[in-house]
Amino acid sequence: MEIRITDSGRKPMEIRITDSEWRLMECLWIKGPLTQAQLMKLLEADWNKNTVHTFLSRLTKKGLVQTDKTVQPHEYQALVSREDCVRQEEQNFLDKLFQGSAGKLVTSFVKQGRLTEKEREDLKQLLEELDHD
């Protein structure tokens, strides 16, 4: 996943977040700030100390996680919101598969029958509300 972060009004940076980094970030968004040991418990048995440390270091270098070294053990905190990351992920998905068009995405889902009747009704209602605004 790419995240574009604007630093002091300069041109946004594009940063890639892997699926594994996303899992770690989810923990920080939900529970953070957390220590490395707390993260290891949340991330299940398949994550060892070195793996967690490596991903924390990468995310810190990318400017997405901050390390509080004033406390022992150190605590880690997300510097970018989940909402910003989701927004960027959505845009990357649209750009990659639908030439940046949300309309093409919705059309594809409707034509392929991927929307339930309730979802279609909700979509109709949303479009009507937008027409009246």
Side-chain angles (χ1 to χ4, degrees):
M1 176 183 113
E2 288 182 10
I3 299 178
R4 293 180 178 96
I5 300 173
T6 304
D7 183 21
S8 305
R10 293 187 298 211
K11 183 179 175 184
M13 301 180 300
E14 291 185 10
I15 298 175
R16 301 275 312 155
I17 294 182
T18 66
D19 291 345
S20 295
E21 290 169 340
W22 187 270
R23 283 183 62 199
L24 194 146
M25 292 295 289
E26 284 284 4
C27 294
L28 294 175
W29 289 321
I30 294 168
K31 303 274 189 181
L34 297 169
T35 66
Q36 182 172 334
Q38 291 168 325
L39 280 164
M40 287 174 57
K41 286 180 186 175
L42 292 171
L43 290 166
E44 305 165 6
D46 58 330
W47 289 62
N48 66 40
K49 183 178 180 178
N50 290 335
T51 303
V52 173
H53 180 75
T54 297
F55 284 117
L56 285 169
S57 294
R58 287 181 190 173
L59 289 165
T60 300
K61 285 180 185 175
K62 292 178 181 185
L64 302 176
V65 169
Q66 175 180 324
T67 308
D68 183 354
K69 295 181 179 180
T70 65
V71 296
Q72 288 294 330
H74 297 161
E75 290 185 339
Y76 300 88
Q77 178 176 330
L79 291 178
V80 61
S81 73
R82 186 181 193 287
E83 292 77 20
D84 287 343
C85 290
V86 168
R87 227 180 341 270
Q88 184 60 52
E89 186 74 8
E90 290 168 345
Q91 189 60 55
N92 291 342
F93 178 75
L94 287 176
D95 290 346
K96 181 178 180 179
L97 300 175
F98 298 97
Q99 296 80 43
S101 170
K104 288 181 181 181
L105 167 70
V106 173
T107 300
S108 174
F109 275 68
V110 170
K111 285 183 176 179
Q112 294 180 28
R114 294 182 184 228
L115 298 178
T116 65
E117 183 63 35
K118 178 166 182 355
E119 290 170 330
R120 287 193 302 274
E121 289 301 319
D122 290 347
L123 183 57
K124 286 179 191 176
Q125 182 178 351
L126 176 63
L127 292 171
E128 287 176 10
E129 289 172 8
L130 290 173
D131 283 343
H132 291 103
D133 286 343

